[in-house]
Amino acid sequence: MRRSGLPWSLVNICRILPAALRDPLYDLVARNRYRIAGRRQTCMVPTAEERDRFIA
Protein backbone atom coordinates (compact mmCIF):
# COMPACT_ATOMS: atom_id res chain seq x y z
CA MET A 1 0.00 0.00 0.00
CA ARG A 2 2.92 2.36 0.64
CA ARG A 3 3.90 2.44 -3.03
CA SER A 4 0.33 3.00 -4.24
CA GLY A 5 0.37 6.74 -3.54
CA LEU A 6 -2.27 8.83 -1.82
CA PRO A 7 -4.84 8.11 -0.44
CA TRP A 8 -3.93 4.40 -0.25
CA SER A 9 -0.55 5.02 1.38
CA LEU A 10 -2.40 6.48 4.36
CA VAL A 11 -3.73 3.00 5.12
CA ASN A 12 -0.20 2.20 6.28
CA ILE A 13 -0.92 4.30 9.39
CA CYS A 14 -3.30 1.56 10.53
CA ARG A 15 -0.30 -0.64 11.28
CA ILE A 16 0.41 1.38 14.42
CA LEU A 17 -3.10 0.84 15.78
CA PRO A 18 -3.45 -2.00 18.26
CA ALA A 19 -5.40 -5.05 17.11
CA ALA A 20 -8.10 -4.23 19.67
CA LEU A 21 -8.93 -1.14 17.57
CA ARG A 22 -8.16 -2.54 14.10
CA ASP A 23 -10.36 -5.63 14.39
CA PRO A 24 -13.64 -3.80 15.16
CA LEU A 25 -12.86 -1.30 12.39
CA TYR A 26 -12.28 -4.14 9.93
CA ASP A 27 -15.54 -5.79 11.03
CA LEU A 28 -17.42 -2.53 10.47
CA VAL A 29 -16.04 -2.19 6.93
CA ALA A 30 -16.73 -5.88 6.21
CA ARG A 31 -20.36 -5.57 7.31
CA ASN A 32 -20.86 -2.52 5.11
CA ARG A 33 -18.72 -3.45 2.11
CA TYR A 34 -21.60 -3.46 -0.37
CA ARG A 35 -22.74 -0.03 0.79
CA ILE A 36 -19.17 1.27 0.49
CA ALA A 37 -18.13 -0.33 -2.81
CA GLY A 38 -21.42 -1.35 -4.39
CA ARG A 39 -22.55 -4.72 -5.68
CA ARG A 40 -22.33 -6.02 -9.22
CA GLN A 41 -23.96 -8.99 -10.93
CA THR A 42 -20.83 -9.77 -12.97
CA CYS A 43 -17.08 -9.38 -12.57
CA MET A 44 -15.46 -6.34 -14.14
CA VAL A 45 -13.31 -6.93 -17.20
CA PRO A 46 -10.84 -4.04 -17.42
CA THR A 47 -10.39 -2.07 -20.61
CA ALA A 48 -6.94 -1.75 -22.18
CA GLU A 49 -6.49 1.61 -20.42
CA GLU A 50 -7.51 0.20 -17.03
CA ARG A 51 -5.34 -2.91 -17.36
CA ASP A 52 -2.20 -0.86 -16.69
CA ARG A 53 -3.51 0.05 -13.26
CA PHE A 54 -3.55 -3.57 -12.04
CA ILE A 55 -0.61 -5.33 -10.43
CA ALA A 56 0.27 -8.50 -12.29
Side-chain angles (χ1 to χ4, degrees):
M1 297 302 280
R2 268 182 278 158
R3 296 184 337 192
S4 298
L6 287 173
W8 301 111
S9 59
L10 296 175
V11 173
N12 199 35
I13 293 171
C14 293
R15 292 177 51 198
I16 63 173
L17 295 174
L21 294 175
R22 279 192 319 247
D23 291 346
L25 181 62
Y26 178 86
D27 291 340
L28 177 70
V29 171
R31 277 193 308 271
N32 294 291
R33 67 186 179 269
Y34 291 127
R35 250 185 270 171
I36 295 168
R39 185 177 218 163
R40 304 212 189 288
Q41 293 296 322
T42 60
C43 295
M44 181 188 86
V45 177
T47 65
E49 283 180 352
E50 295 170 329
R51 217 171 281 140
D52 293 336
R53 297 175 60 192
F54 287 86
I55 299 172

